[in-house]
Amino acid sequence: MSVTQQQVLERLAKVASPHGAALTDAKVLSDIAVNDGKVFFSINVDAAEARAWESVRSEAEKAVRAIPGVTTAMVALTAERKAGAASPAAPHRHGTQGVPHVSTHRPPQQPASASPMSKQAEIPGISAVIAVASGKGGVGKSTTALNLALGLRDLGLRVGLLDADIYGPSVPRLTGLRDKPQLNAGRKMIPLQRFGLAIMSIGFLVEEETAMIWRGPMVMSAITQMLRDVAWGTLDILVVDMPPGTGDAQLTLAQNVPLKGAVIISTPQDLSLIDARRGLAMFKKVNVPVLGIVENMSYFQCPQCGTRSDIFGHGGARHEAERLGVPFLGEIPLHMSIRATSDSGTPLVESEPDGPHAAIYRAIGARVREQLHDAIAAA
Ligand code: ADP
C-alpha cells in the first residue's frame, strides 16, 4: 500500500509544537514529498527558537517512520534568521567568519546549540572527505569525480563516492546502478558497491525530477543524511560530486560538509575559467583548501591517429592555477572513449585501465592523495 501525503499530515497533527499547537497548525511545514515509501520535508522555524524545535523534529520523524509502508523519513529543521537580527550562532563554532548572507538557513537538523552536525564534525570511519566542484554544469565534473575515485582506488585506497549533485544526479547513469539502497539493522542506508567503490546518490532514492524541485533546506537535509546516515564503513577518501555552480546551495554545502579539500574542474574556455575562479573564492570563504584545478576537455586527441589539437586554446587552467597559487592537477583530453564509457555506465578507468587516459586520472589521484597524506596517514 503506498503512503500518502494525507497519512503523513494525520500523523503530524498529533505532534505538538513547543507552543502547544499541533505541528500541522504551526505554519512551519514545507511541502511534503512522498515518493515510494520515502518521505521528505522540513520544519522551518525562527533561529531563536531552533533549540526548542529539535525534539519536535525528531518526534515528527519518529511519527512518520511509524506509518506502515514508510521506509525512509528525512525531516530537516531549518532555522531562518530574521533579517538584521544578530546571529545566534557563534561564528567560531562553524568556522564561517566572513561568510556573507548564506546563513539565512541553518544547516538541517542543526539547532542553535552546539551540535555534532557542525562543520567540524568528522564522519566516523572516513579519513578525508573531498569535494569535486565546478563553476558551471557540463564541464565533465561528474565524469571526472567518478574516474578520479577509481584512480584513487587503483592507488590502493578505500574510496567512496557521494553524488550530491541534487539538481542532476548523474552517478546512476555513469555507473549503471539503479538499485535502491537497503537499510541495515541500525536503520542506516547501505551504500551500493560497484567497481570497488561505496556509492551513494540521491538518484538512487528519488526520481531526478523530484530532486530538482526541492528547495534549499530539503536539499541540504538529503545531502546531510546521505553523508551521515549511510553506513559508509571505513574509507580513506569520500569523493563528493557537488552540484555545479557557486550559489548559496553550493556554499551551504561546502560549509556543512567536513571537507579536507576541493578539486575544481574547468574547461579551457574563458567563461568556464571565470566560473572556476568563483569556485575557488567560494571554498576560500569557507576555509576549505583547494587541492587544485583539473582542466577537462583540455585538448582534442584524434581517435584514429592520436594527433593532438589544442582546439580550445588549452592551458588556460594551468596558467590560472599558477596565477592564483593553487596546484594544477592535470589535463584530461576531450576524447570519444571518455564520453562513450561514461555514458554507458562503465567508466574509463574501469573499462580501459591500461589506456593513456586512465593513467591521467591515476596521476591526478596521486596528486590529490599526496595533499591528503596527513589525513589519510592519521587514520
Ligand atoms: P557535469 O557533471 O560537469 O555536468 P558530466 O560529467 O555529466 O558533466 O559530462 C558532460 C558530458 O561530457 C557527458 O556526456 C560526458 O560523457 C562528457 N565528457 C566529460 N568529460 C569528457 C572528456 N574529457 N572527453 C569527452 N567527453 C567528456
Side-chain angles (χ1 to χ4, degrees), residues 137-143 173 296-297 332-335 338-339 342-343:
V139 301
K141 171 183 56 59
S142 300
T143 304
R173 170 175 54 86
N296 189 38
M297 310 192 202
I332 303 162
L334 177 74
H335 198 279
I338 298 180
R339 175 184 286 273
S342 60
D343 292 349

Side-chain angles (χ1 to χ4, degrees), residues 189-227:
M189 283 181 274
I190 303 168
L192 301 184
Q193 295 287 333
R194 173 122 340 155
F195 317 126
L197 303 176
I199 304 177
M200 192 65 204
S201 167
I202 195 72
F204 300 153
L205 301 177
V206 293
E207 298 305 322
E208 214 167 291
E209 307 80 65
T210 312
M212 301 234 328
I213 56 168
W214 287 359
R215 290 184 304 167
M218 290 180 75
V219 169
M220 263 318 297
S221 168
I223 292 172
T224 309
Q225 294 227 350
M226 287 200 297
L227 264 176

Side-chain angles (χ1 to χ4, degrees), residues 352-363:
E352 298 177 19
D354 301 322
H357 302 124
I360 294 176
Y361 287 114
R362 278 194 291 272

Side-chain angles (χ1 to χ4, degrees), residues 22-276:
L23 181 53
T24 41
D25 293 332
K27 298 196 172 62
V28 292
L29 290 179
S30 71
D31 295 339
I32 295 173
V34 182
N35 187 306
D36 194 20
K38 297 174 182 63
V39 181
F40 309 91
F41 62 92
S42 60
I43 301 174
N44 311 302
V45 302
D46 190 281
E49 298 189 348
R51 194 184 302 222
W53 280 89
E54 175 52 26
S55 60
V56 179
R57 187 203 66 77
S58 64
E59 277 303 304
E61 207 167 71
K62 229 187 277 165
V64 174
R65 283 215 181 110
I67 301 172
V70 168
T71 52
T72 311
M74 289 188 186
V75 183
L77 178 63
T78 65
E80 204 146 337
R81 206 173 297 147
K82 295 249 165 65
S87 162
H92 65 267
R93 188 156 45 78
H94 301 296
T96 57
Q97 294 97 315
V99 180
H101 72 255
V102 273
S103 306
T104 48
H105 292 298
R106 189 174 299 289
Q109 301 186 343
Q110 186 170 308
S113 59
S115 149
M117 302 285 290
S118 72
K119 178 177 167 11
Q120 281 74 14
E122 308 264 327
I123 302 167
I126 303 181
S127 304
V129 182
I130 63 166
V132 174
S134 62
K136 62 171 193 165
V139 301
K141 171 183 56 59
S142 300
T143 304
T144 310
L146 175 56
N147 280 298
L148 170 63
L150 292 167
L152 291 164
R153 172 207 67 180
D154 286 352
L155 299 173
L157 299 173
R158 294 161 295 185
V159 184
L161 176 67
L162 170 59
D163 176 10
D165 187 348
I166 218 101
Y167 303 112
S170 42
V171 162
R173 170 175 54 86
L174 295 176
T175 59
L177 284 170
R178 294 278 184 278
D179 311 338
K180 301 261 177 228
Q182 305 290 309
L183 295 180
N184 70 10
R187 295 196 69 79
K188 286 201 164 201
M189 283 181 274
I190 303 168
L192 301 184
Q193 295 287 333
R194 173 122 340 155
F195 317 126
L197 303 176
I199 304 177
M200 192 65 204
S201 167
I202 195 72
F204 300 153
L205 301 177
V206 293
E207 298 305 322
E208 214 167 291
E209 307 80 65
T210 312
M212 301 234 328
I213 56 168
W214 287 359
R215 290 184 304 167
M218 290 180 75
V219 169
M220 263 318 297
S221 168
I223 292 172
T224 309
Q225 294 227 350
M226 287 200 297
L227 264 176
R228 308 214 176 245
D229 290 353
V230 166
W232 288 107
T234 308
L235 296 178
D236 295 306
I237 299 184
L238 177 65
V239 176
V240 180
D241 181 4
M242 298 272 288
T246 51
D248 281 1
Q250 289 81 2
L251 189 50
T252 310
L253 183 54
Q255 217 173 348
N256 289 295
V257 173
L259 294 172
K260 284 277 187 297
V263 173
I264 312 264
I265 314 296
S266 176
T267 58
Q269 286 93 327
D270 259 347
L271 180 62
S272 181
L273 285 177
I274 291 167
D275 290 323

